[in-house]
Amino acid sequence: MKKRINKISLVYLVLIALFTISSFVFDQLVIHQEDKINNLQSRYTTNESNLHGKNNVCMTYISIANKLANVIYSSSIRFEIYTNLSNISNDEEYLSSIRKTNKKLYQAYYNANFSYFLNELDYRYIHVLLNGELNLEKKYQKSFTEKFSKQYNDIGNSIKSLINEYSNFQKNPTNGNLLLNFYNNAQILFKDISLLSFNFSQEQEYACHERDILQNNIAYILTDLTNQNSYKNFFILFSVISQIFSLLFLTLLFKKIIAEIKTRKVKKLKL
Amino acid sequence: MKYTLLKNLLNLNLIPNRIKKYLLILNICLFMSIFALISSSISIYYQQLISKINQQKIEIKTNKNLTNSIIFSVNKYEDLFNTILAAFRYDRNFADLIADNTVYENSPSRSRERFFINVKNFLMSKDGLEEDIDSFAIIIKDLRHLEENKILAKEDLDKILDLQISLKKRINNIYLSAKNDLIFYSKDFVEIDEDIKKTKKVIYFAEAKETISVTQKEKSTFLVRTSNIDYNRYLELWRATENWLQDYQISLLYINKILIDLHAFLDATETEFAKNISTLSNQSSTAIVFAFILQLVVFMFINFFEISTHKKGTL
């Protein structure tokens, strides 16, 4: 005997099919989300390592600019004092009195101090730049050299020539022209170091801006990552729910089939 | 689609005498399915709440990173100011020592080297300092919500804001007083603010308005400075600058204190969020257990009546 399936069973079957398909769809969405999350995580890692480098560049350039400004600040004041006391003044009477009374003593004292001062300036200048360069990661050292090596070398040479000029002045301390030349060149040197410090500030502005962009990107990626993770969790839960629904309707279908069999048995017995 | 086909597909070999047992098994399956459905719904509801908290946690983490970097910069800047202030005082004492060793009592070095050069050198960084004051003022304004959350006293915040405003005025006054005695060298500085490039002139070096010439006198040569600068006036300006430096350093320490408080506040909020997430997870588990017990009771009632009805039906 052939019997067509009744309406309720058909509805159950359709529902089972629907929920099985939706479970499959949600499973696929979970896989898709997983891909997205992996993608975001790799972007996050790349940005984070770049951020570390850019932050390093930004902080190093700030540090170099400030240290160079500090070198100028403390060096130029000492230079002024030494130069003034050895030979420059707006009071000739005062200078004459120094020269007459303490000439040899002052000459020896300031000569020693001047030499020490110039060597210290040389050391401090090299130290600041070298410290900055060594603090940078290798990939950023190249751009550092490209941008600043010319200015850096020129200033280094100026310091060396200033030391030579001073040794000439030392041999002939009464030569005013030598001292004037020495004084003017030192002023130009301080100006050049200030300009280098300014250039570092300018580069720092760019590096810090790039760092800020990376920071914003990371914040955006982190938010996106959280969203995608929660979407993934929801998709897993919806997939489970769909599976449960299909199981539920399958059970109901079984129940319906048993009820049908039972009704048929009763009908047979009555007949 | 045919009923028999489905029956064959499912390969059911139902024995009529055991229908009661089948019904019981199916009812248990139904019970399990409905329970799973309810527990999943509870999980989804709680997952939604946890997701919201997670998003807030990310915001807190971003703010914490930002605060950390600002604390780092402020600390570095405070260190630098410490050095500048120390050098400023050291140079004054250094000049003093040399000046006191000179024989001539009207030595020009007494007024000039002590005060003028210090102030001149300091004013070279005037533009950078003004910019920093502006940035710190912005940070302070952003920290208003801390005051709203009662982490920072209103008086403290107002005091810092007033200090920043007065500091800007004071450095401008020092600059205006010394402006006529100095030649300032400036260059275009490109500033990037929210991807917009702004160009402004920035001072990078300052020189005194003096001329130095070589003169010959009594078989000796001298370098002589000539200028109209009143160097004695720089004693007052020097004091004003030193006070300015001290006050600025204190303002940096204040900002540092606020930022550390903010960091602690963010830490506490993050911990609270973590606790909330754990509480929600616990609540979700409890709700699922409660739903299970309730459903079990209902299931037992229904099952009892259904089976007894079945028994009556067969009898």
Side-chain angles (χ1 to χ4, degrees):
Chain A
M1 191 182 83
K2 284 184 178 178
K3 194 175 162 64
R4 291 210 167 267
I5 193 162
N6 71 23
K7 271 184 183 174
I8 298 168
S9 302
L10 189 70
V11 171
Y12 284 153
L13 262 175
V14 170
L15 284 171
I16 290 163
L18 269 177
F19 281 114
T20 314
I21 290 166
S22 72
S23 164
F24 172 76
V25 169
F26 282 123
D27 273 344
Q28 288 304 308
L29 281 172
V30 170
I31 294 163
H32 181 67
Q33 279 306 109
E34 196 59 51
D35 287 347
K36 261 189 180 178
I37 288 165
N38 287 340
N39 226 340
L40 283 171
Q41 259 165 355
S42 89
R43 264 176 66 197
Y44 176 77
T45 320
T46 321
N47 274 315
E48 206 181 26
S49 65
N50 280 344
L51 176 73
H52 187 261
K54 287 287 173 197
N55 194 34
N56 182 23
V57 176
C58 169
M59 294 318 288
T60 309
Y61 283 3
I62 290 177
S63 161
I64 296 174
N66 287 337
K67 279 178 181 169
L68 282 178
N70 207 22
V71 166
I72 301 294
Y73 185 84
S74 56
S75 302
S76 65
I77 202 159
R78 279 172 181 74
F79 178 77
E80 286 273 352
I81 290 164
Y82 290 134
T83 318
N84 196 45
L85 285 172
S86 55
N87 222 331
I88 296 181
S89 174
N90 49 9
D91 194 322
E92 288 176 33
E93 204 182 331
Y94 156 71
L95 278 173
S96 308
S97 74
I98 289 176
R99 287 191 163 188
K100 276 171 194 165
T101 50
N102 299 302
K103 191 181 176 183
K104 277 188 182 175
L105 178 77
Y106 275 97
Q107 199 175 312
Y109 178 71
Y110 291 114
N111 277 348
N113 269 316
F114 247 131
S115 303
Y116 178 72
F117 162 76
L118 287 172
N119 286 321
E120 191 194 314
L121 177 68
D122 190 27
Y123 173 78
R124 281 183 70 183
Y125 174 73
I126 292 169
H127 181 261
V128 170
L129 269 295
L130 197 67
N131 191 18
E133 199 177 348
L134 291 176
N135 200 33
L136 288 171
E137 286 175 23
K138 260 191 182 176
K139 58 178 174 180
Y140 296 112
Q141 275 180 1
K142 203 183 162 189
S143 69
F144 177 89
T145 320
E146 275 171 11
K147 278 174 191 161
F148 302 107
S149 66
K150 196 184 171 291
Q151 226 178 333
Y152 166 73
N153 290 331
D154 287 352
I155 292 171
N157 292 336
S158 302
I159 297 175
K160 291 274 182 293
S161 65
L162 203 67
I163 291 169
N164 290 335
E165 266 179 52
Y166 183 69
S167 62
N168 290 336
F169 171 67
Q170 224 173 359
K171 285 170 200 163
N172 191 7
T174 51
N175 190 337
N177 285 324
L178 276 178
L179 184 67
L180 184 63
N181 206 22
F182 174 68
Y183 180 82
N184 287 336
N185 286 341
Q187 289 297 323
I188 293 167
L189 173 76
F190 289 139
K191 201 172 151 186
D192 287 347
I193 299 177
S194 297
L195 195 61
L196 182 62
S197 167
F198 175 87
N199 288 343
F200 270 108
S201 307
Q202 184 67 82
E203 281 304 317
Q204 162 258 313
E205 182 74 23
Y206 289 118
C208 291
H209 179 65
E210 281 177 15
R211 181 200 60 180
D212 293 346
I213 291 172
L214 278 174
Q215 240 165 8
N216 287 342
N217 277 352
I218 285 176
Y220 170 74
I221 290 169
L222 267 176
T223 320
D224 207 11
L225 205 60
T226 322
N227 285 341
Q228 299 303 338
N229 259 322
S230 53
Y231 286 150
K232 193 185 100 179
N233 289 344
F234 280 123
F235 288 147
I236 292 170
L237 282 167
F238 282 126
S239 163
V240 169
I241 282 186
S242 303
Q243 280 174 23
I244 292 165
F245 267 119
S246 63
L247 274 171
L248 177 75
F249 289 117
L250 198 64
T251 325
L252 288 170
L253 182 65
F254 278 142
K255 213 175 167 181
K256 185 72 193 159
I257 290 167
I258 289 166
E260 286 266 323
I261 291 165
K262 201 184 133 191
T263 331
R264 259 190 285 156
K265 288 269 170 197
V266 173
K267 272 181 186 173
K268 265 184 188 177
L269 279 170
K270 276 182 182 174
L271 280 169
Chain B
M1 203 183 287
K2 305 225 170 126
Y3 182 67
T4 41
L5 176 75
L6 181 74
K7 221 172 106 177
N8 289 336
L9 267 173
L10 297 168
N11 200 17
L12 286 170
N13 189 15
L14 298 168
I15 303 156
N17 296 341
R18 290 185 184 170
I19 278 178
K20 275 189 284 176
K21 274 187 185 175
Y22 295 142
L23 272 175
L24 185 69
I25 293 164
L26 283 172
N27 279 343
I28 289 168
C29 287
L30 266 175
F31 164 73
M32 291 307 286
S33 308
I34 291 167
F35 166 66
L37 210 64
I38 289 170
S39 63
S40 302
S41 310
I42 291 170
S43 297
I44 286 180
Y45 172 72
Y46 279 100
Q47 179 63 37
Q48 226 171 358
L49 294 179
I50 289 169
S51 292
K52 271 182 194 168
I53 296 177
N54 269 336
Q55 267 177 348
Q56 284 171 324
K57 239 176 106 176
I58 290 291
E59 273 174 34
I60 293 281
K61 204 180 172 188
T62 315
N63 284 330
K64 237 175 93 173
N65 286 344
L66 195 69
T67 319
N68 267 337
S69 64
I70 298 172
I71 289 175
F72 182 73
S73 311
V74 172
N75 275 336
K76 278 250 167 201
Y77 205 60
E78 206 271 323
D79 267 1
L80 181 81
F81 252 80
N82 226 353
T83 322
I84 291 175
L85 193 59
F88 194 77
R89 283 173 175 152
Y90 174 78
D91 287 335
R92 188 230 172 254
N93 294 337
F94 177 73
D96 219 16
L97 197 71
I98 292 173
D100 288 345
N101 278 329
T102 55
V103 181
Y104 193 60
E105 65 174 6
N106 293 323
S107 149
S109 69
R110 279 176 180 271
S111 57
R112 189 180 183 280
E113 267 65 37
R114 269 180 186 173
F115 311 114
F116 172 69
I117 304 164
N118 268 27
V119 177
K120 181 204 87 173
N121 282 350
F122 178 74
L123 288 176
M124 280 198 266
S125 49
K126 180 237 168 198
D127 284 343
L129 287 169
E130 262 192 346
E131 203 177 302
D132 289 330
I133 294 170
D134 287 344
S135 328
F136 285 127
I138 291 166
I139 291 173
I140 295 164
K141 273 181 190 165
D142 283 346
L143 295 176
R144 273 281 172 210
H145 75 273
L146 266 187
E147 184 234 310
E148 283 158 18
N149 286 328
K150 291 181 181 171
I151 289 165
L152 186 80
K154 193 180 180 293
E155 297 78 42
D156 277 355
L157 197 65
D158 289 341
K159 206 170 149 187
I160 297 164
L161 260 176
D162 292 344
L163 194 62
Q164 294 289 316
I165 295 162
S166 71
L167 280 170
K168 206 173 170 181
K169 275 183 192 165
R170 273 160 64 186
I171 194 165
N172 266 332
N173 289 341
I174 297 168
Y175 172 72
L176 289 173
S177 311
K179 201 182 164 187
N180 291 332
D181 305 330
L182 301 165
I183 306 162
F184 288 108
Y185 292 89
S186 55
K187 224 183 155 212
D188 281 346
F189 186 84
V190 181
E191 204 181 38
I192 312 164
D193 189 17
E194 291 176 356
D195 291 339
I196 301 163
K197 285 185 179 180
K198 290 175 188 168
T199 313
K200 58 175 187 178
K201 290 260 178 224
V202 171
I203 299 165
Y204 70 91
F205 194 69
E207 232 176 50
K209 280 184 184 169
E210 298 174 321
T211 47
I212 297 166
S213 52
V214 183
T215 54
Q216 191 86 31
K217 201 177 179 185
E218 294 170 8
K219 293 176 188 175
S220 291
T221 49
F222 298 93
L223 292 191
V224 178
R225 286 182 198 270
T226 41
S227 74
N228 296 320
I229 301 170
D230 175 12
Y231 294 114
N232 291 319
R233 193 163 53 90
Y234 278 84
L235 170 65
E236 289 305 315
L237 279 179
W238 189 90
R239 277 184 190 141
T241 315
E242 195 191 16
N243 286 340
W244 190 91
L245 274 164
Q246 280 174 343
D247 288 351
Y248 192 69
Q249 201 185 18
I250 288 166
S251 83
L252 287 177
L253 289 170
Y254 264 129
I255 293 167
N256 210 23
K257 186 197 165 285
I258 296 177
L259 289 169
I260 287 166
D261 283 349
L262 174 67
H263 196 267
F265 166 70
L266 292 174
D267 262 347
T269 318
E270 209 180 9
T271 323
E272 205 182 301
F273 280 154
K275 272 183 190 169
N276 283 352
I277 288 173
S278 137
T279 317
L280 281 174
S281 300
N282 287 339
Q283 273 179 8
S284 155
S285 311
T286 322
I288 289 168
V289 171
F290 184 72
F292 176 79
I293 295 164
L294 198 75
Q295 212 187 318
L296 190 68
V297 173
V298 173
F299 166 75
M300 278 161 81
F301 263 106
I302 290 169
N303 213 41
F304 173 75
F305 284 118
E306 194 182 25
I307 288 167
S308 56
T309 319
H310 181 78
K311 273 178 187 171
K312 278 175 192 169
T314 47
L315 279 168

